[in-house]
Amino acid sequence: MAGPASPVEAGANAFPLSDDIRKRRNYALLMLMLVYMSSHIDRGIVGILAEPIKKDLNLNDTQIGIMSGLAFALFYATLGIPLAVLADRTNRRNIIVVALTTWSAMTVVCGLAQNYVQLLLARIGVGIGEAGSSPQSHSMISDMYAPHERARALGFYSLGVTFGGMIGVLVGGYVSVHWGWRTAFFIVGAPGIVLAILVYLTVPEPPRLNRSARPEGANAWKEMGAGFSFIWTSAACRHVIAGLTLTAFVGYGAGFFGPAFLERTHGIPRDQIGLILGPIAGLIAGAGVIAGGYFADKWGKADARWTAWVVAWGKVIAFPLILAYYLASDFWVAIAFLLPGSFFGAFYLGPAFAMVQSVSPPAMRATTAAISLFILNLVALGLGPTFVGIASDVLNKQFGFGTDSLRYALAGASLLNLWAAAHFYWAGHAYAKEVRAS
């Protein structure tokens, strides 16, 4: 992988920030991470609650997968693009506040559902709310941190994924055992409304860099078209988004069905599952997120290709460990494989989103982030849990795998990690070329 250096920090000294934004940007980043954490608590808690919901409402794995994935993702991904175009024109912070309030309230409504249709509609409401958060946050962060700082900044922001997963399984597992799954939705949804008020009152809206780059007379439809056109012509974006989508396809399937896998295959009680998976998701994977962003920024300063290659190597190392986790017959042996697998598997979060932002025109950063998330979530969030649920039902009913059906459905999906690694390797060459030209 040796080759000529491609510095990406050129022009960093000219990156303009007011003294007020420079002083407050770390606080703003922390608050945006907490918002992201809230979204992943509310999004992912269905995984730890899947078994009691399934029994209480008489559902199958396919219905759980559709509720968790496809129905949620259709609205989340589709609405994300027009809301991001709006964010490129208006106050991004305010859109995040409305979005956070919406998904928090709809999470509480999930606890009131009396049948599958009501729960499905409530989860769609959560997806509608979450559509207005991530692209806006990506855009704000990119206007507060220079290119050579973005992998670490977006890596810190992405801790919301791991911390959210940790809190979701901890709270969901314990509360559902002692007070029921409905109470778990109430407890995780309500704090988001308080957080929304804090964000509105204390987080600044940073000035947009290179606002003049927006074409004269541009309208929302033209801006969406320009965003799709840019991503199509950017080889770096195409490969990064492909790698992200494949990684998330595996990750969402594992996130939603991972607790059920431990409960069915290894007989672990649900409240103990949270105590096991929570720290792994929050601390081990969180350390991997920070490490991935650190090494991508450090090595990418000398050779921009390593911004992507750090992720590719993380995927290659994680793949056999995650596969062994699913196939191991002994629970503690499985956990021994999961620990390093979670660390290396989380390398992708900061560098991947930072690369998309760094090669995107500043005037359409929220739009390109939303399109990236549209593709990722429509395929990965929409189909990942759905695929695992259908595969588990088929392996059980058609092939007689019984409780092991979920084990092999998850193991089969994990094979896609190698395909993702290939795209991140190819992305390295394209990113180095495009970031030099930007």
Side-chain angles (χ1 to χ4, degrees):
M1 293 184 180
S6 303
V8 298
E9 73 275 18
N13 292 332
F15 190 78
L17 282 178
S18 68
D19 288 340
D20 179 60
I21 294 298
R22 189 175 297 278
K23 291 176 182 177
R24 300 172 66 189
R25 66 177 184 168
N26 289 338
Y27 170 78
L29 178 61
L30 172 63
M31 295 300 288
L32 292 175
M33 187 275 285
L34 293 176
V35 171
Y36 200 35
M37 182 179 74
S38 171
S39 74
H40 276 269
I41 294 172
D42 294 358
R43 184 187 310 181
I45 196 171
V46 173
I48 192 69
L49 302 180
E51 289 298 286
I53 291 174
K54 181 180 176 181
K55 293 174 182 176
D56 191 23
L57 301 183
N58 194 27
L59 308 180
N60 57 37
D61 282 345
T62 300
Q63 289 174 303
I64 292 290
I66 291 173
M67 178 193 68
S68 304
L70 188 58
F72 181 99
L74 281 174
F75 290 87
Y76 171 64
T78 304
L79 289 175
I81 298 176
L83 287 175
V85 171
L86 180 65
D88 278 332
R89 294 163 164 262
T90 60
N91 188 295
R92 295 162 289 188
R93 190 264 328 271
N94 291 348
I95 294 174
I96 292 170
V97 168
V98 174
L100 173 56
T101 303
T102 302
W103 83 61
S104 300
M106 292 308 298
T107 298
V108 172
V109 173
C110 288
L112 302 174
Q114 298 300 310
N115 55 52
Y116 180 66
V117 172
Q118 291 177 1
L119 185 57
L120 185 69
L121 292 174
R123 293 303 293 172
I124 288 173
V126 176
I128 290 171
E130 290 192 19
S133 174
S134 289
Q136 292 75 8
S137 295
H138 286 197
S139 177
M140 290 176 66
I141 291 167
S142 295
D143 282 339
M144 294 187 291
Y145 292 88
H148 69 290
E149 301 172 310
R150 282 183 194 142
R152 279 170 289 179
L154 282 163
F156 181 84
Y157 168 76
S158 297
L159 286 175
V161 176
T162 61
F163 289 169
M166 175 177 68
I167 294 172
V169 295
L170 283 171
V171 173
Y174 185 83
V175 172
S176 65
V177 168
H178 295 279
W179 294 286
W181 62 268
R182 298 179 188 279
T183 304
F185 279 122
F186 300 151
I187 288 176
V188 301
I193 298 173
V194 177
L195 179 61
I197 296 171
L198 284 174
V199 171
Y200 180 74
L201 294 176
T202 64
V203 173
E205 166 76 2
R208 298 175 198 270
L209 303 178
N210 297 333
R211 178 185 284 272
S212 61
R214 182 179 303 285
E216 289 294 329
N219 60 50
W221 289 107
K222 288 182 179 179
E223 289 180 45
M224 282 191 281
F228 276 104
S229 177
F230 169 75
I231 286 175
W232 179 253
T233 58
S234 168
C237 283
R238 291 200 308 272
H239 284 301
V240 168
I241 292 170
L244 270 171
T245 301
L246 291 164
T247 297
F249 186 98
V250 177
Y252 278 124
F256 284 114
F257 282 102
F261 159 69
L262 292 181
E263 192 168 351
R264 296 182 200 176
T265 301
H266 294 287
I268 308 300
R270 198 179 319 118
D271 52 350
Q272 293 182 27
I273 289 173
L275 296 175
I276 296 166
L277 290 185
I280 293 175
L283 303 179
I284 304 301
V289 171
I290 295 298
Y294 172 79
F295 288 121
D297 276 345
K298 179 179 176 64
W299 296 340
K301 289 175 74 173
D303 186 338
R305 293 174 298 178
W306 275 100
T307 308
W309 286 351
V310 162
V311 181
W313 278 112
K315 293 280 113 190
V316 170
I317 295 170
F319 162 69
L321 297 167
I322 296 300
L323 185 62
Y325 162 67
Y326 289 124
L327 299 181
S329 57
D330 181 83
F331 171 71
W332 290 111
V333 171
I335 294 299
F337 285 118
L338 180 61
L339 291 172
S342 297
F343 176 81
F344 289 107
F347 272 21
Y348 74 98
L349 277 166
F353 290 118
M355 284 186 284
V356 172
Q357 290 292 292
S358 292
V359 300
S360 296
M364 61 169 63
R365 279 182 176 144
T367 301
T368 54
I371 293 171
S372 304
L373 291 168
F374 167 78
I375 298 168
L376 184 158
N377 287 300
L378 197 62
V379 177
L381 179 56
L383 300 180
T386 305
F387 168 82
V388 172
I390 292 173
S392 176
D393 282 338
V394 169
L395 290 173
N396 180 26
K397 296 176 182 178
Q398 303 298 322
F399 297 95
F401 276 75
T403 57
D404 276 338
S405 64
L406 188 55
R407 176 207 294 266
Y408 291 109
L410 289 165
S414 73
L415 299 175
L416 294 176
N417 279 315
L418 283 181
W419 188 3
H423 278 291
F424 283 116
Y425 173 74
W426 294 325
H429 296 283
Y431 178 69
K433 180 179 178 181
E434 291 177 30
V435 81
R436 279 200 303 266
S438 63

